Structure formats: structure tokens, C-alpha cells
């Protein structure tokens, strides 16, 4: 009955905090600092002069920050040609612009080499297949083009983004010849405090369209930026009726009593980092890939998220619910270290 009363008063804020599922928990955030919202342009100039100062990463942790282009990225690759950054454009009637229709993928470059490259290339081609969009370049051509972009920018440490749009649509709806881009991004590390102390997540009831496809549509995640800031949360944790899928840019893992490592297996993107963590976990601990619920996090000893731009990141709070001791636990720290090691020793590019 209490839950029903809660539902009757269900508001956007309730959704954000997963309050229905976490109904009886403390309603008071214990470490909720409210950051002022900086104007992105002001922030950009501030940041250019003070590059060693930490910034509110929940809003600005994307590798596409314009400063990256200004500092060193000189060339992208567009439809087969290395192109100066300032001349890399899309036609205005491309479906990416009109309808947000397109795919992408994103991976790190370390010491001049793309990390876990084969996995990302495979996922890019799989995403295209699922949208019935043939990529007008072969795997070998895409492979060579990525190396060309890395070389042209002298990129030792950074990231590459593959993008393919639906192409120009004369009727504004039907895909035509896709536009394919390879964009280079400079390194943009996240603030160390997220790894030392853990980050917070904001539960939000939502299901991404076409969850197995890495589409370019992140509208909901971007829309939630003010709520994230208000609750000092790093990312939003999507769920449906309390069943977790993923965050808007990461996969989620919980360490439940046992210990058992649990991660959802459906309604989410099959992350490359998640795949590697599951491989690492195989020989170390009991693993369950199954439905995971928001209320199970009340008894979680640890929780972490995984993603290409962040590796393994500890989570210390979900909504108002503190996770475990509120500090990164032993299992999370194991995976942080083991995954970093795996990245360092990655030789899949050569294989
Ligand atoms: C929606 C979503 N889920 C999960 C992930 C994590 O995937 P990966 O580890 O391949 O970066 C991402 C990464 O961007 C994502 O956007």
C-alpha cells in the first residue's frame, strides 16, 4: 500500500532516484554537493589556461571537447579521405542531423596503437548490419584508415571514434549512401577522485532504443545532465520497473554476497570492457549474467561500471543508497588493476 501511495505521487524526481524501489531507504543524500552549472564556453576558456585543474566530469568528460581539436588534432577521415579538421562536415540533410540516425564506436589509442581494435571493428560492422546499413568500406580499408588517422595526427595517447550516418535523405526519412567518418580525439583523463573514492549513479526508468546497437542517439543521457549535477552523480543508471540494464555510457556490475559478480545480460549494449571483465572474472570468482534489480543493490558489497573511456570505475552510491562501505572494495580494485594490465598488454592488434 505504501508503495502505491508512492506511485500516486510519482514525480520526475522519484524516477530519477528510483524512489519506488528504494522507498524505505534514507531520503537524505549524505555527500550531495551541488555544483554550480558552468557555462560551457566560459568553462572552455578557463580550462585552456588551467589544464591541470579537475572539472565536473559528469558534464564534460567526453573526448569530443573542442579543446582537443584546438590542441593537436589536425585531421579526421571522411568518406575515404584524410581531411583537415576544419573541413570535416556533413550535409545538412543527413539522417544523423534530421533524425539522429547513425552508428558509432569508440576506442582508446595507447602508445600509438588502437586497444582491443578487432572487437570494436567487429561491433561497428555488427551495428551497421542491425540497422541494415551497408558500410561502403571493407574491414581492411577501415583498419588501414584508422592507422592512417593515428599516424597523421601523431596520436600516441587518445581515442578514435568511428561514425556512420544514415546519409542524405531526399524524403527526410529513408537512408541513402551513408557518410563514414573516423575522428581522432586527444587524451582526456577523468578525475582521479572517481577511482579513489568511487562515483555516484542516478537511477532513471528508461530503455534505450535498439540496445544492442551502438547508435549515435544519446538524447536522454544528455538531457539528464542537470539532474546528474544536482545529485552529484556521474551517470544515470537505466532500469525498467527496477530491472537494471546499463548506464547511459557504461555497463553495470554488482558484487553480491557470496561473493558473486552479477551483470545484466539483456536490454543493454554488449560492452567490450564488460566482455574483458567477464573473461578476467571467469577464473577468479562466481559470475552470474542475469537480470539484476535495483533493490538488490541494497545488499551489494560493491558495484562498478565499465566502459571504454573509463575502464573499471567504482560506484559508491546509487540514488540515495550507499553501496557497501561507500568506498571502492577489494573486488573492484582487483578488476581495475587487472583490466588496466590487460590494456597494457593488448596485442590483439597484431594478431
Ligand atoms: C549505452 C552504453 N552501454 C555500455 C557501454 C560500454 O561499452 P564499452 O565497454 O564497449 O565502451 C557504452 C559505451 O559507450 C554505452 O554507450
Amino acid at each position: 500500500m505504501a508503495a502505491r501511495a508512492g506511485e500516486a505521487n510519482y514525480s520526475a524526481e522519484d524516477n530519477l532516484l528510483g524512489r519506488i524501489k528504494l522507498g524505505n531507504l534514507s531520503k537524505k543524500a549524505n555527500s550531495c554537493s551541488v555544483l554550480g552549472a558552468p557555462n560551457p564556453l566560459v568553462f572552455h576558456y578557463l580550462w585552456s589556461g588551467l589544464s591541470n585543474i579537475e572539472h565536473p566530469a559528469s558534464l564534460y568528460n567526453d573526448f569530443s571537447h573542442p579543446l582537443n581539436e584546438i590542441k593537436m588534432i589536425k585531421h579526421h577521415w571522411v568518406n575515404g579521405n584524410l581531411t583537415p579538421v576544419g573541413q570535416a562536415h556533413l550535409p545538412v540533410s543527413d539522417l544523423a542531423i534530421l533524425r539522429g540516425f547513425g552508428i558509432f564506436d569508440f576506442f582508446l589509442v595507447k602508445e600509438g596503437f588502437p586497444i582491443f581494435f578487432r572487437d570494436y571493428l567487429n561491433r561497428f560492422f555488427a551495428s551497421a548490419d542491425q540497422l541494415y546499413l551497408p558500410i561502403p568500406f571493407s574491414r581492411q580499408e577501415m583498419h588501414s584508415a584508422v592507422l592512417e588517422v593515428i599516424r597523421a595526427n601523431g596520436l600516441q595517447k587518445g581515442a578514435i571514434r568511428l561514425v556512420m550516418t544514415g546519409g542524405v535523405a531526399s524524403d527526410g526519412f529513408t537512408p541513402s549512401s551513408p557518410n563514414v567518418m573516423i575522428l581522432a580525439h586527444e587524451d582526456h583523463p577523468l578525475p582521479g577522485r572517481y577511482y579513489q573514492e568511487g562515483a555516484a549513479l542516478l537511477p532513471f526508468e528508461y530503455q534505450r532504443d535498439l540496445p544492442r546497437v551502438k547508435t549515435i542517439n544519446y538524447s536522454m543521457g544528455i538531457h539528464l545532465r542537470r539532474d546528474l549535477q544536482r545529485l552529484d552523480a556521474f551517470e544515470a543508471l537505466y532500469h525498467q520497473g527496477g530491472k537494471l540494464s546499463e548506464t547511459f555510457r557504461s555497463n553495470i556490475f554488482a558484487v553480491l554476497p557470496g561473493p558473486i559478480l552479477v551483470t545484466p545480460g539483456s536490454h543493454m549494449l554488449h560492452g567490450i570492457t564488460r566482455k574483458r571483465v567477464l573473461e578476467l572474472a571467469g577464473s577468479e570468482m562466481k559470475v552470474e549474467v542475469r537480470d539484476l534489480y535495483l533493490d538488490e543493490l541494497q545488499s551489494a558489497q560493491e558495484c562498478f561500471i565499465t566502459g571504454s573511456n573509463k575502464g573499471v570505475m567504482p560506484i559508491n552510491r546509487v540514488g540515495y543508497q550507499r553501496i557497501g562501505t561507500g568506498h571502492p572494495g577489494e573486488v573492484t580494485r582487483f578488476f581495475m588493476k587487472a583490466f588496466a594490465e590487460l590494456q597494457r598488454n593488448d596485442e590483439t592488434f597484431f594478431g
Side-chain angles (χ1 to χ4, degrees), residues 11-17 58-59 201-208 218-239 246-249:
S11 66
E13 174 141 325
D14 288 326
N15 187 0
L16 285 165
L17 299 174
S58 53
L59 292 184
L201 298 178
L202 186 60
F204 188 79
E205 183 140 22
Y206 179 70
Q207 173 61 55
R208 278 196 316 116
Y218 281 63
S219 300
M220 182 53 82
I222 296 170
H223 171 65
L224 290 172
R225 65 197 182 281
R226 283 169 193 236
D227 302 288
L228 294 177
Q229 197 176 32
R230 200 157 43 84
L231 287 145
D232 198 15
F234 179 68
E235 291 189 348
L237 175 56
Y238 293 151
H239 68 93
E246 61 191 344
T247 79
F248 57 52
R249 291 186 7 176

Side-chain angles (χ1 to χ4, degrees), residues 322-345:
R322 192 182 72 182
I323 303 295
T325 62
H327 300 285
E330 198 184 332
V331 175
T332 305
R333 280 187 279 119
F334 166 79
F335 285 114
M336 285 166 70
K337 197 159 169 253
F339 180 73
E341 189 97 347
L342 211 55
Q343 281 184 319
R344 260 195 302 279
N345 298 329

Side-chain angles (χ1 to χ4, degrees), residues 123 208 214 218 246 248-251 271-273 307-308:
R123 186 170 64 184
R208 278 196 316 116
K214 199 158 166 74
Y218 281 63
E246 61 191 344
F248 57 52
R249 291 186 7 176
S250 314
N251 292 114
I272 306 303
T273 321
S308 306

Side-chain angles (χ1 to χ4, degrees), residues 93-131:
S93 48
D94 191 291
L95 278 178
I97 293 172
L98 299 185
R99 309 278 181 187
F101 187 75
I103 57 164
F104 80 107
D105 225 302
F106 177 93
F107 46 89
L108 298 185
V109 173
K110 287 184 189 276
E111 293 173 19
F113 290 107
I115 302 293
F116 308 141
F117 188 27
R118 202 183 310 134
D119 284 336
Y120 290 101
L121 209 50
N122 285 343
R123 186 170 64 184
F124 188 63
F125 275 80
S127 290
D129 268 359
Q130 288 172 81
L131 291 191

